[in-house]
Amino acid sequence: RGSECYFYKCYELSATIPGPNLDVSVYDWNRIGRDELIGKTTVDLTNRWFNNQWRYAHTTKPVERRCLYHPAVGSPQGKLEMWVDIIEKTDAKKFPPHYISPPPPQKFQLRIVIWKTRKLPSMDPITGLNDLFIRVDLESAKHSDSKETDTHWRSKKGVGNFNYRMIFEVVFDPAHAENVRLKISAWDRDIVSANDAIGEI
């Protein structure tokens, strides 16, 4: 399953050039047992340092999107967004590291208007009618919220008129970004038994 993670970390390392390459590895952390390697990327520091085009091209080095490789898999296992800067030890104090931090969480208001429906199938084969209502679910791994319209009783031919407004309060935190799913579903309300699902998007 694909995932997107944000770390906002800056590391300072001492190195000798010519010398070893820089390996950056991404792991799947396990509470019990060993962490599992997802993939790694290798940066040839010596090649970069002696490459004048890279060394002097930018005052601030560009962000790289590097493929992650696992030794047991031939294809890339995702990408890592990062950048690497190399500074001589005598100049390091003149250029303090650029510590990055996530932007603060932002509050948003999601507004949805359920106007009308048409051509919805009837869930009652005898009367050919629906007691129609619409449900909206905002779902994520850590939070969920649901709202329903009022009921359009004895709806004919799948036509329902609502003009119903819903408001969801949403907080987006870039440091802990997660996928949020908006689901809109139509239902036939039953008083005695469970409601019948008509369909969803």
Side-chain angles (χ1 to χ4, degrees), residues 91-105:
D91 294 331
K93 292 183 179 179
K94 301 177 185 178
F95 303 97
H98 179 65
Y99 290 104
I100 56 177
S101 59

Side-chain angles (χ1 to χ4, degrees), residues 26-94:
V26 178
Y27 283 84
D28 177 27
W29 178 80
N30 289 317
R31 187 179 299 275
I32 300 175
R34 298 179 60 183
D35 299 335
E36 298 180 27
L37 175 67
I38 296 174
K40 75 173 184 178
T41 183
T42 299
V43 181
D44 188 334
L45 299 179
T46 302
N47 179 274
R48 290 203 174 187
W49 181 252
F50 291 107
N51 184 326
N52 290 336
Q53 184 178 0
W54 178 87
R55 187 173 174 182
Y56 300 111
H58 303 276
T59 304
T60 301
K61 293 301 182 283
V63 175
E64 304 175 42
R65 292 169 179 84
R66 301 184 61 87
C67 291
L68 298 169
Y69 291 95
H70 192 285
V73 183
S75 57
Q77 300 300 292
K79 291 187 177 182
L80 177 65
E81 192 171 285
M82 56 176 282
W83 75 85
V84 176
D85 203 357
I86 306 173
I87 304 174
E88 291 184 280
K89 191 173 183 179
T90 54
D91 294 331
K93 292 183 179 179
K94 301 177 185 178

Side-chain angles (χ1 to χ4, degrees), residues 119-125 129-135 137 148 183-191 193-201:
K119 297 183 179 180
L120 296 183
S122 171
M123 305 307 291
D124 190 334
L129 304 176
N130 284 327
D131 295 326
L132 185 63
F133 72 96
I134 306 299
R135 174 172 171 163
D137 296 281
E148 295 180 358
K183 182 174 70 174
I184 303 176
S185 53
W187 296 79
D188 175 32
R189 189 180 299 281
D190 287 329
I191 302 300
S193 59
N195 299 325
D196 296 318
I198 299 174
E200 68 177 49
I201 56 173

